[in-house]
Amino acid sequence: MAIDWYMDFVDTGYTPGKDELVCLYYFEPAEGIGREEAVGRIASESSTGTWTTLFTLPPRMKDLQATAFQIEGNFAKIAYPLALWEEGNAPQLMSGIAGNIFGMKALANLRLIDVSLPAEYITHFRGPHFGMEGIRKMMKVHGRPLTGAVPKPKIGFSAQEHAEVGYETWMGGFDFVKDDENLTSTPFNRFEDRVKLMAKMRDRAEKETGETKSAFINITAETELMKKRAEFLADYGWNYAMIDVVVAGTAAVSTLRDHCSDLGLAIHAHRAMHAAFDRDQKHGITMQFLAKLMRLIGVAQIHTGTAVGKLAGTKKESLLLANLLREQKTEASGNMLLEQDWGGIKSAFPVSSGGLHPGLVPEVLDIYGIDLVLLVSGGIHGHPDGTRAGATATMQAIEAWSEGITLDEKAGTSHELARALEKWGYYRPK
Ligand code: CAP
Ligand code: MG
């Protein structure tokens, strides 16, 4: 008598229906486990199965079983019937395709690479409130990347000092001032004080420059408190809220997406903690999956790396992430991405940040083009002539790239850029 039924979940002759959800996994069977059995176990544990055959199994269960239909080396594709998935419930999706299976002894490693979501599934999600075009209209910025900076040191300023650094950043030509991922409301910099003082400085900078200025102020906290903080932001004329989406959790981001949308707030998604599960190429969950999920839920923008800065990530990955956020139809790309038709889901901006300074701006723009939120933080506050000069130098580097001239050529007529190149040149932080 068979004690398990994993092979019932494998059919390499199967063609998924267009309404099925398809996942691409990287897998390594444990010692003594065959490939097909390993993939059968993934399909079983992530859908209707368990470790043993059962006393009774209603015939209709067959219609809910996942089917592993393609196994090539260490890569497998598994199709999931739509009926398995609750409409609009992102956390439940993760519990299915990114849940127990990571802990199975039958696998030495497992990585969820991507999921292709059928139209019938994504129709239950609202996606971004504004889309890239809506953000550009709101900020009155066209023809160049949007720019921003985090006050540095990343935490420690009083709300007043934070707002003063923000003013200098805006006066140097940047559109945004971003809170850092670990700044929320501390004894030395309470959220409410920062919101009020930053609003005052924003109004001053807008009056003096004639430009639209904004900020990604971090509301990360318990969900009800995040809702209150979003309302407080709206009361002070802000049009963005920032959430550390991984630590806040998919359920909370889903709640805040609708609340922020009602308040006219775009969501800046910081991805702090993502490298705990997406950095290992053999085990965990990719940034592609996280970025796709966050666009589906409806953030306006999410960090996607620099490739040339201080944090891990390759050029190919950054471009792949940018495209899955910006395009309405994403093409499949090797064993890194499945095709995706986004239907009515609006676009989202990739955000490039981390170890950047004016000398690296052309390389980043070569990867992303202008549909990007470019964050240069240490790279302006470390400028020899201060924050405002650093922001100006960065804007000059963007201009050089758009004009198709080198930074050295541009520096001839751009003092702040020349001074940035004197200090950092084209240095790549480790
Ligand atoms: C960058 C940053 C961002 C990282 C996040 C930091 O500051 O504020 O959090 O960019 O990484 O705290 O390091 P610097 P990623 O510009 O001074 O490095 O964008 O890869 O999610
Ligand atoms: Mg940071």
Side-chain angles (χ1 to χ4, degrees):
M1 173 194 289
I3 61 163
D4 72 47
W5 51 313
Y6 296 120
M7 296 315 286
D8 286 15
F9 293 82
V10 181
D11 176 357
T12 48
Y14 181 72
T15 307
K18 72 172 188 45
D19 66 346
E20 289 192 275
L21 196 140
V22 173
C23 283
L24 171 63
Y25 290 98
Y26 170 87
F27 73 101
E28 286 179 9
E31 195 67 29
I33 301 279
R35 277 186 196 294
E36 289 216 347
E37 183 191 344
V39 179
R41 285 167 179 257
I42 299 168
S44 160
E45 187 59 44
S46 56
S47 64
T48 60
T50 186
W51 63 272
T52 172
T53 49
L54 303 168
F55 179 68
T56 58
L57 190 64
R60 64 180 168 75
M61 285 293 186
K62 187 89 183 124
D63 299 340
L64 287 172
Q65 268 179 226
T67 306
F69 63 93
Q70 190 177 314
I71 305 173
E72 283 170 10
N74 288 89
F75 294 91
K77 285 185 186 173
I78 299 178
Y80 295 84
L82 187 64
L84 280 176
W85 311 108
E86 180 185 357
E87 299 83 354
N89 188 335
Q92 185 243 4
L93 174 70
M94 295 177 82
S95 295
I97 63 174
N100 288 357
I101 48 178
F102 288 118
M104 297 195 314
K105 287 181 187 158
L107 297 171
N109 278 303
L110 177 68
R111 190 183 202 211
L112 168 59
I113 296 172
D114 195 13
V115 58
S116 185
L117 302 165
E120 293 81 348
Y121 184 78
I122 60 172
T123 189
H124 298 289
F125 289 86
R126 293 187 180 83
H129 174 88
F130 292 95
M132 290 194 295
E133 225 6 75
I135 295 286
R136 284 192 175 281
K137 250 194 236 119
M138 179 173 85
M139 293 302 296
K140 300 187 187 67
V141 172
H142 300 280
R144 65 165 173 83
L146 293 116
T147 52
V150 179
K152 296 285 178 177
K154 57 171 53 182
I155 191 164
F157 286 122
S158 68
Q160 180 58 34
E161 290 164 340
H162 185 107
E164 285 162 7
V165 173
Y167 174 74
E168 287 302 307
T169 303
W170 281 317
M171 293 310 288
F174 274 20
D175 308 303
F176 300 114
V177 179
K178 171 183 172 292
D179 280 2
D180 230 327
E181 66 280 354
N182 54 339
L183 175 63
T184 51
S185 185
T186 52
F188 49 81
N189 189 334
R190 286 292 170 210
F191 173 83
E192 292 74 13
D193 297 337
R194 190 159 76 251
V195 168
K196 288 182 215 164
L197 291 166
M198 283 283 280
K200 239 166 77 192
M201 289 298 189
R202 174 201 64 206
D203 296 348
R204 200 172 122 200
E206 287 192 333
K207 214 156 106 252
E208 291 170 6
T209 62
E211 296 162 0
T212 301
K213 302 295 184 184
S214 186
F216 311 144
I217 300 178
N218 194 358
I219 64 172
T220 303
E222 179 280 324
T223 303
E224 286 309 314
L225 181 50
M226 285 203 279
K227 287 167 71 175
K228 288 196 182 61
R229 287 181 172 174
E231 289 153 25
F232 197 78
L233 285 170
D235 290 346
Y236 280 84
W238 294 106
N239 52 23
Y240 265 93
M242 168 174 156
I243 302 175
D244 297 341
V245 293
V246 175
V247 298
T250 314
V253 177
S254 304
T255 301
L256 267 294
R257 184 259 169 235
D258 289 346
H259 202 67
C260 288
S261 177
D262 295 345
L263 295 163
L265 296 175
I267 295 175
H268 175 90
H270 197 293
R271 61 176 180 171
M273 193 192 273
H274 71 97
F277 52 77
D278 73 9
R279 187 171 183 183
D280 184 330
Q281 299 299 306
K282 292 189 167 184
H283 188 84
I285 302 169
T286 63
M287 183 62 212
Q288 294 90 292
F289 179 80
L290 176 64
K292 178 170 278 187
L293 200 66
M294 287 300 141
R295 176 180 176 183
L296 187 68
I297 291 171
V299 305
Q301 54 210 50
I302 186 166
H303 290 235
T304 54
T306 64
V308 295
K310 70 184 182 188
L311 297 157
T314 64
K315 286 188 180 177
K316 188 162 177 358
E317 278 161 12
S318 289
L319 184 58
L320 193 105
L321 291 169
N323 291 339
L324 81 84
L325 290 169
R326 299 186 297 209
E327 293 174 346
Q328 283 318 101
K329 275 204 170 80
T330 316
E331 298 306 315
S333 171
N335 282 317
M336 291 179 78
L337 203 67
L338 295 174
E339 66 176 14
Q340 181 64 53
D341 182 338
W342 285 95
I345 299 282
K346 288 182 181 163
S347 56
F349 272 110
V351 177
S352 188
S353 167
L356 296 180
H357 56 81
L360 295 177
V361 164
E363 286 188 71
V364 174
L365 297 183
D366 283 345
I367 298 171
Y368 283 100
I370 62 166
D371 279 336
L372 169 73
V373 175
L374 178 69
L375 299 183
V376 180
S377 305
I380 67 166
H381 306 305
H383 187 283
D385 303 325
T387 296
R388 187 181 303 208
T392 304
T394 304
M395 299 309 284
Q396 291 163 347
I398 294 170
E399 281 162 19
W401 183 81
S402 308
E403 293 157 8
I405 62 172
T406 68
L407 296 188
D408 288 328
E409 285 166 321
K410 185 75 177 177
T413 56
S414 310
H415 173 68
E416 295 82 354
L417 177 58
R419 293 278 286 153
L421 293 176
E422 264 169 40
K423 175 169 181 177
W424 293 301
Y426 300 92
Y427 167 70
R428 288 186 174 205
K430 296 283 167 297

